[in-house]
């Protein structure tokens, strides 16, 4: 079956522009996670949704970052007024478990964001 | 706070020889632990997971890991390396988030190189 998909796969933004990154989780998965992976580093947790509820946004680095999942399926990560330090790969993952942070997560291929 | 340390950023082995990728963790409770693999331009894939059952965990593609509480370690091993094992490997520990949720904490990764 289809896995987690993300779009766009690559995004170049000029500093100060707003960007929106999309995640399509595996159908029926209740848990959805966003991660930021800087070059040469491991992914870092950004935020977690259980269905449409954003239960944990403790990893969002600033108020320029905003995520939503209005119907409990597709999610969008929005970054306003992009800065060079936002350049990274943004990963989305989903899980069939309510306690998705305790079990296997299925990862998308990521969106590579470059801010110039 | 939970954390994970991957002791080697790069490991090189010859094809057919054993693989050892080291991971130490710190946790204030009994965590779940995972190993994920990331091939270039592909999403992270689960290799194996420890969730407080058997301490010796077998995963896909001949990999296994042993949970040693006394040493706070969860090293990944494979008896005989294949060329296709060349990839980035991440050790993950679970950590409490907000609102009763849990999240992944990733190590910085170990890049495995397999020499012909």
């Amino acid at each position: 079956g289809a896995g987690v998909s993300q779009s766009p796969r690559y995004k170049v933004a000029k500093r100060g522009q707003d960007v929106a990154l999309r995640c399509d989780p595996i159908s029926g998965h209740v848990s959805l996670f966003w991660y930021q992976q800087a070059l040469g580093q491991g992914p870092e947790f950004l935020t977690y949704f259980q269905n449409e509820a954003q239960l944990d946004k403790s990893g969002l680095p600033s108020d320029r970052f905003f995520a939503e999942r209005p119907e409990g399926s597709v999610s969008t990560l929005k970054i306003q007024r992009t800065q060079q330090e936002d350049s990274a790969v943004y990963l989305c993952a989903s899980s069939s478990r309510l306690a998705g942070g305790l079990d296997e997560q299925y990862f998308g291929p990521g969106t590579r964001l470059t801010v110039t | 706070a939970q954390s994970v340390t991957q002791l080697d950023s790069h490991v090189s082995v010859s094809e057919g020889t054993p693989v050892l990728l080291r991971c130490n963790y710190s946790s204030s409770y009994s965590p779940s632990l995972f190993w994920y693999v990331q091939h270039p331009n592909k999403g992270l894939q689960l290799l194996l997971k420890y969730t407080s059952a058997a301490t010796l965990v077998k995963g896909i593609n001949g990999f296994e890991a042993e949970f040693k509480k006394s040493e706070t370690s969860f090293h990944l091993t494979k008896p005989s390396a294949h060329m296709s094992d060349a990839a980035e490997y991440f050790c993950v520990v679970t950590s409490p988030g907000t609102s009763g949720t849990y999240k992944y904490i990733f190590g910085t990764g170990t890049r495995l190189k397999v020499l012909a």
Side-chain angles (χ1 to χ4, degrees):
Chain A
V4 178
S5 61
Q6 294 185 244
S7 60
R9 290 292 312 277
Y10 303 90
K11 177 69 178 178
V12 179
K14 293 190 174 178
R15 191 172 55 158
Q17 282 184 334
D18 297 349
V19 298
L21 312 180
R22 177 188 169 104
C23 172
D24 281 86
I26 293 173
S27 178
H29 277 197
V30 297
S31 291
L32 186 144
F33 300 81
W34 283 99
Y35 298 87
Q36 181 189 59
Q37 186 175 18
L39 190 64
Q41 300 296 315
E44 291 194 1
F45 170 83
L46 292 177
T47 188
Y48 165 61
F49 288 87
Q50 187 178 104
N51 296 306
E52 69 278 3
Q54 189 175 18
L55 297 185
D56 190 342
K57 51 183 180 179
S58 62
L60 296 175
S62 77
D63 58 7
R64 296 185 297 103
F65 286 71
F66 172 76
E68 60 183 6
R69 194 186 185 199
E71 296 178 358
S73 55
V74 170
S75 177
T76 303
L77 176 67
K78 297 179 180 178
I79 309 174
Q80 297 176 326
R81 303 180 304 281
T82 53
Q83 304 294 316
Q84 283 196 316
E85 61 263 29
D86 300 335
S87 295
V89 176
Y90 291 85
L91 298 172
C92 176
S94 69
S95 169
S96 60
R97 293 274 308 272
L98 283 174
L102 285 175
D103 209 338
E104 178 177 7
Q105 296 178 20
Y106 296 83
F107 285 81
T111 294
R112 182 178 296 278
L113 173 64
T114 304
V115 181
T116 61
Chain B
Q2 278 60 242
S3 66
V4 62
T5 301
Q6 291 184 244
L7 297 159
D8 306 291
S9 59
H10 293 82
V11 170
S12 290
V13 300
S14 296
E15 189 176 22
T17 64
V19 176
L20 170 64
L21 305 183
R22 298 183 294 165
C23 172
N24 284 99
Y25 70 92
S26 172
S27 179
S28 55
Y29 76 110
S30 295
S32 296
L33 292 157
F34 304 80
W35 277 98
Y36 278 82
V37 61
Q38 188 174 39
H39 290 276
N41 297 317
K42 291 192 175 180
L44 286 153
Q45 180 185 20
L46 179 70
L47 278 178
L48 49 80
K49 63 181 180 182
Y50 166 77
T51 55
S52 76
T55 56
L56 182 62
V57 181
K58 293 189 184 297
I60 62 171
N61 301 333
F63 285 95
E64 63 180 38
E66 186 171 7
F67 174 73
K68 291 186 176 180
K69 186 174 181 179
S70 60
E71 299 177 9
T72 61
S73 70
F74 189 57
H75 301 333
L76 182 70
T77 61
K78 183 174 180 177
S80 176
H82 293 171
M83 298 298 290
S84 60
D85 294 329
E88 187 92 19
Y89 291 80
F90 292 96
C91 183
V92 176
V93 66
T94 55
S95 175
T98 60
S99 306
T101 63
Y102 287 84
K103 58 187 178 183
Y104 280 2
I105 304 295
F106 281 82
T108 51
T110 298
R111 183 165 296 278
L112 176 64
K113 187 174 182 179
V114 182
L115 307 171

